[in-house]
Amino acid sequence: MNPVTRLTLSLLALTLPTGALAQSVTVKINGYGGTDPAVVGDLINRFVKPALARDKINVVYEPIQGDYNKGLTTLLAAGNAGDVFYLPGETLDGFVATGKVLPLNGLVSSTPFIGSLNRTFTRKGKLYAVAKDFNTLSVVYNKDLFDEAGVAYPNAQDTWSTFAKKLTDVKSKLGSDYSGLCLPPSFDRFGAFAYAAGWTQFDAKGRTNLADPRFVSAFNYYTGLARNKVGVQPSELSKDWGGGCFQTGKVAVAIEGGWIVNFLKDNAPNLKYGTALLPRADATGKRGNFLYTVGWAINAGTRNRAAAVKVLNALTSAQAQEYVLSQGLAIPSRSALSSSAYFKRSDAGALNSKVIFDGSTDGNVRGFTFGPQGSDWSKPINDALAAVLSGQKSAADALRKAQSDMNAFQNR
Amino acid sequence: MTAYAFLMPFLAVLAVFFFYAFGRAVYYSFSDFNLFNTPHLIGLKPYGDVLSDTNFRRALTNTLLYAVITTVLQTVFALLMAVVLNRRLRGLAFFRAAWYMPSITSSVVITLIFLWLFQRRGAANYLFSQLGAALPVVGAFLLLLVVIQAVQVAWERSRSLPARALDPALLVVSALLAGAVTAVLTVTGVLHVREAVPLDYQYFADRWVQVGGVQVISVPMLVIIAQNVFTTVPTLMLFFLAGLQGVPGALYEAAEIDGATPVQQFLNVTVPMLRPVTFYVVTVGLIGTLQMFDQVAIIGSAAPQNTIVTLAYYVYRNTFQNGVAPVNLASAAAILLALITLALVFVQRRFFVAPESGS
């Protein structure tokens, strides 16, 4: 072979793969850092790449480290965000207002997914994301403490009053070193009780009414548990959330979601716990709950819309979701998964997952969101809870101030 | 030309990140910009909105109080510390290094330590609880100390000897005697440590120092002031130390010959001679405190936001939200902050200490 032919062949060899790549499309996904790159990477390799191999769609995951919402805001504003990205339910309104989130109506079928999750991502009839997975709240209880106190475990039949009685009994039997319930002074736990009482976050005009008797009854019930130290704020045990408070083994119950399972596995492996649905409000006979969820959304400015839709469908396919569930990674969003074999297992983690899954459809379940003005919305409520739980204010005074702060906030 | 070539990188950075950014901020402050729309000029409305926002007014009050209190405290303490460390002490190098440590430690770390110290069951509450428990013993010791010292001084004076009330030699004897008597009383059971009742004071709660029912400054902000004084005093102390090296020793000798006491020497020689340094320290302190951000950001939701919000944090909060953000309000607040900073430095320069007056 003469040098000229060899050179020509070499150049041809070099250009061939480039030519092949030129036809392929790369879809960039933005999501959380932490353990998500490993999980999503696994999903991409197992389900997305095989499904899209023929379409020559290449998928890359680019995690946003640190504060995801702020990171995504910056990328969207600069026009550098991924074609597909996580859209957290609680910040949906702020991102929808940017006009950078593509409505998925007509592009993706939302039928196979749990209705309450679809509603969480719907604004004015437009679906902005498909739920990736979700969490709800549950009653996580320390079996040893209930056994030692000789009190029956919390269960799905509990009402607010029977639940409070159980906690009070545990506390009185076990003494001053122990408490009944971890009570974070925060709307993201308390709100489920307000929903159980039938309260709604916003009225038709978008205003929030904290003087609503239903809200007041839930507020009085929640803060009333702090009396006689039946309920204890996590900060009193030098912890910053309910799971940390529960992990100490000094508190019988925490109201937390499925995220507590892996936390307890790592931090309190010998703590025996069970999970129950939240208690029903005496007045309404209903439970309340939050849907903490993150959806898959598509960038309105993407140049690869068709490819992005295919990637989204592959990421939320039945096989991908079954895999996520079976690995104990998260509770996926397809309604059909209720009959999954995973939910029939008897280990504490799987039992917790089943209760979390059931919680998404039982009673007054609402998406965890703060509305169009963002997370500052919950501040007046959190301040009121903190003031009453720490004994600085009466419930009536705290609620009066909270309503006045809320009005000022909503008038902005 | 060579000079300009060397200055070029600096000028380029200044042009892009200061003048251009400042110009954009001014433009946005008169517009309806929300980070995603095309800005349209809407006049002074953002300034009106900002000034009528209760959060802004709280941030402004917090910032001004924080700046004034912190600057005064850090300047006074830095000067006193510099005077102490300017003396010939045994182990001076160690003390200088030890005092300087907080200054080189990350403010994030110091804030986390302060959060830990001042939490509900933190070290501060623990120490106060223990002090309360030991109050009978400590009180008895102090009482005995005063009585014994008074007796000793009276006795010395009755013998026409020149004994000062706080004579160090007599104080040592008084302390030893008071300690011994307290120990005996404790061992015999006359005095005893009470059971410590845990103090549950929440420093990072919605607590305020009120004057006539008006919330003036919050307790969480006082903790931040204490922390900031703790971390900035060492740096400012270095400036004063450098200034002290330049004060001619002859002035002190002359003052001493005139019979000036150490306090008089400090007030009439040291303070006037350090005026240029003081001007610099106060200016740097004011600018730094007016722009305080990191401590508030790190404390985050651990304290109610209106108790610690500052103007810099207000600007940040309104710029970086989830999705659309009132960037026009943030820009207006930033411009107001810049104007306030300029005004304070100008007033400080005009009416208090001009650098020339020290020379």
Side-chain angles (χ1 to χ4, degrees):
Chain A
M1 199 185 291
N2 69 40
V4 177
T5 320
R6 205 183 305 161
L7 183 66
T8 313
L9 281 176
S10 312
L11 283 173
L12 200 63
L14 276 173
T15 52
L16 267 178
T18 321
L21 271 178
Q23 293 165 14
S24 74
V25 172
T26 296
V27 171
K28 188 169 88 175
I29 300 177
N30 284 139
Y32 297 153
T35 55
D36 279 41
V39 176
V40 181
D42 197 26
L43 276 183
I44 290 171
N45 289 330
R46 280 173 187 272
F47 302 102
V48 182
K49 283 191 174 163
L52 305 179
R54 262 185 297 162
D55 297 318
K56 292 186 178 156
I57 297 173
N58 184 35
V59 183
V60 289
Y61 185 75
E62 289 191 2
I64 296 176
Q65 301 294 350
D67 189 323
Y68 176 79
N69 289 308
K70 289 189 173 65
L72 180 64
T73 302
T74 314
L75 289 177
L76 281 173
N80 294 330
D83 306 282
V84 176
F85 50 78
Y86 285 14
L87 185 59
E90 67 263 28
T91 51
L92 173 78
D93 293 281
F95 284 111
V96 166
T98 66
K100 303 279 184 185
V101 188
L102 186 72
L104 300 176
N105 306 49
L107 294 175
V108 172
S109 166
S110 62
T111 320
F113 302 96
I114 296 170
S116 55
L117 289 172
N118 289 334
R119 283 195 292 280
T120 303
F121 288 109
T122 303
R123 292 290 181 275
K124 294 179 182 165
K126 288 182 180 168
L127 177 74
Y128 286 98
V130 172
K132 176 173 84 75
D133 50 31
F134 72 96
N135 246 297
T136 62
L137 291 175
S138 62
V139 169
V140 181
Y141 54 90
N142 183 323
K143 288 185 169 179
D144 286 340
L145 294 189
F146 275 90
D147 289 344
E148 203 176 322
V151 176
Y153 297 148
N155 58 47
Q157 279 71 50
D158 274 329
T159 60
W160 283 5
S161 46
T162 62
F163 182 62
K165 167 108 179 43
K166 285 178 181 175
L167 298 177
T168 312
D169 288 349
V170 169
K171 164 77 185 169
S172 62
K173 292 270 170 51
L174 297 182
S176 60
D177 282 349
Y178 293 87
S179 298
L181 177 68
C182 299
L183 278 182
S186 148
F187 174 75
D188 55 17
R189 299 291 178 276
F190 157 74
F193 289 86
Y195 291 150
W199 176 75
T200 46
Q201 197 174 6
F202 302 105
D203 65 14
K205 290 178 186 164
R207 309 289 295 187
T208 298
N209 182 7
L210 305 181
D212 185 321
R214 293 168 292 189
F215 184 88
V216 175
S217 73
F219 190 88
N220 287 337
Y221 175 73
Y222 193 83
T223 53
L225 290 169
R227 248 173 263 135
N228 306 323
K229 296 278 171 199
V230 170
V232 60
Q233 289 190 74
S235 62
E236 294 177 64
L237 300 176
S238 296
K239 300 292 177 184
D240 55 1
W241 69 295
C245 166
F246 185 72
Q247 171 221 343
T248 62
K250 300 278 185 190
V251 189
V253 166
I255 307 279
E256 292 293 337
W259 49 79
I260 201 172
V261 172
N262 280 334
F263 172 78
L264 290 177
K265 200 186 288 172
D266 293 341
N267 295 285
N270 298 321
L271 196 153
K272 284 190 220 133
Y273 65 91
T275 313
L277 285 163
L278 294 184
R280 298 168 196 272
D282 293 281
T284 62
K286 285 196 170 179
R287 300 176 221 286
N289 219 325
F290 279 123
L291 283 168
Y292 303 90
T293 180
V294 172
W296 290 111
I298 295 179
N299 189 337
T302 179
R303 275 176 285 176
N304 309 312
R305 182 181 294 192
V309 170
K310 283 181 182 167
V311 169
L312 191 150
N313 283 328
L315 283 165
T316 53
S317 68
Q319 301 92 312
Q321 292 221 330
E322 183 69 52
Y323 173 74
V324 166
L325 178 64
S326 65
Q327 297 296 304
L329 296 170
I331 317 284
S333 51
R334 284 179 174 260
S335 2
L337 287 168
S338 61
S339 54
S340 166
Y342 179 77
F343 286 139
K344 295 184 176 68
R345 279 167 43 180
S346 60
D347 58 288
L351 288 172
N352 177 279
S353 299
K354 176 73 174 122
V355 172
I356 299 292
F357 191 87
D358 290 346
S360 66
T361 49
D362 192 335
N364 299 327
V365 186
R366 310 272 184 265
F368 180 62
T369 176
F370 303 112
Q373 284 179 284
S375 59
D376 280 354
W377 174 88
S378 64
K379 193 177 160 297
I381 300 174
N382 296 348
D383 290 349
L385 286 169
V388 180
L389 288 174
S390 58
Q392 292 178 53
K393 277 190 183 139
S394 70
D397 286 349
L399 283 177
R400 212 170 297 127
K401 179 170 189 306
Q403 183 66 69
S404 137
D405 290 351
M406 182 64 81
N407 291 343
F409 173 76
Q410 294 196 319
N411 286 337
R412 265 204 252 162
Chain B
M1 270 322 281
T2 318
Y4 283 113
F6 275 109
L7 276 172
M8 212 47 220
F10 171 72
L11 289 176
V13 168
L14 198 70
V16 173
F17 292 104
F18 183 77
F19 289 108
Y20 174 73
F22 187 77
R24 293 291 281 192
V26 172
Y27 174 60
Y28 290 151
S29 74
F30 293 105
S31 77
D32 60 354
F33 189 50
N34 73 5
L35 213 61
F36 288 90
N37 60 346
T38 311
H40 298 103
L41 288 175
I42 55 169
L44 285 168
K45 186 174 181 299
Y47 286 92
D49 289 347
V50 157
L51 291 170
S52 63
D53 182 358
T54 49
N55 274 359
F56 173 81
R57 292 206 291 265
R58 187 70 253 171
L60 181 62
T61 316
N62 280 353
T63 303
L64 291 177
L65 282 169
Y66 172 80
V68 171
I69 297 174
T70 308
T71 306
V72 168
L73 287 179
Q74 71 193 14
T75 307
V76 170
F77 283 128
L79 178 58
L80 293 177
M81 201 185 283
V83 169
V84 170
L85 291 187
N86 197 38
R87 287 162 184 252
R88 289 200 183 117
L89 293 172
R90 191 181 288 273
L92 185 65
F94 166 77
F95 283 115
R96 282 185 180 174
W99 279 116
Y100 197 63
M101 277 303 285
S103 207
I104 53 170
T105 309
S106 149
S107 71
V108 175
V109 174
I110 300 260
T111 308
L112 291 176
I113 291 173
F114 266 68
L115 265 174
W116 170 71
L117 286 176
F118 288 95
Q119 61 178 302
R120 192 165 182 176
R121 288 288 163 89
N125 274 349
Y126 176 79
L127 287 177
F128 285 126
S129 307
Q130 295 304 316
L131 191 64
L135 200 59
V137 178
V138 176
F141 171 79
L142 291 175
L143 192 68
L144 283 166
L145 182 72
V146 172
V147 171
I148 296 170
Q149 179 76 1
V151 169
Q152 285 202 86
V153 170
W155 189 57
E156 291 283 315
R157 284 182 183 168
S158 71
R159 292 162 59 206
S160 307
L161 291 169
R164 282 180 290 145
L166 293 175
D167 187 281
L170 296 181
L171 208 55
V172 170
V173 175
S174 303
L176 285 172
L177 277 173
V181 176
T182 312
V184 169
L185 290 174
T186 311
V187 170
T188 53
V190 178
L191 283 175
H192 52 85
V193 177
R194 295 183 293 191
E195 194 187 338
V197 182
L199 183 66
D200 272 344
Y201 190 80
Q202 279 184 291
Y203 296 88
F204 293 106
D206 196 5
R207 292 181 189 276
W208 294 82
V209 175
Q210 302 200 1
V211 176
V214 178
Q215 294 181 334
V216 179
I217 192 160
S218 70
V219 173
M221 189 52 100
L222 290 175
V223 173
I224 295 181
I225 288 176
Q227 179 197 333
N228 208 283
V229 170
F230 175 69
T231 50
T232 49
V233 158
T235 311
L236 303 179
M237 175 199 77
L238 281 191
F239 299 134
F240 280 124
L241 262 180
L244 282 170
Q245 311 293 320
V247 179
L251 290 177
Y252 291 106
E253 286 166 18
E256 215 165 312
I257 291 166
D258 287 345
T261 62
V263 174
Q264 285 171 328
Q265 287 181 27
F266 173 74
L267 292 175
N268 298 315
V269 178
T270 310
V271 172
M273 290 304 289
L274 286 177
R275 267 191 189 166
V277 183
T278 312
F279 172 76
Y280 176 72
V281 165
V282 171
T283 308
V284 168
L286 272 179
I287 294 172
T289 50
L290 283 170
Q291 295 173 353
M292 191 272 278
F293 170 81
D294 45 356
Q295 284 99 330
V296 178
I298 295 156
I299 287 176
S301 57
Q305 206 195 94
N306 63 332
T307 60
I308 53 171
V309 65
T310 57
L311 279 182
Y313 191 69
Y314 177 90
V315 171
Y316 170 78
R317 284 274 305 180
N318 281 311
T319 308
F320 297 99
Q321 293 198 340
N322 311 317
V324 292
V327 177
N328 55 344
L329 297 192
S331 303
I335 301 302
L336 289 173
L337 174 60
L339 291 176
I340 291 166
T341 311
L342 265 176
L344 274 181
V345 173
F346 173 76
V347 167
Q348 203 258 114
R349 185 186 166 84
R350 177 78 182 77
F351 295 106
F352 292 99
V353 274
E356 305 79 37
S357 57
S359 53

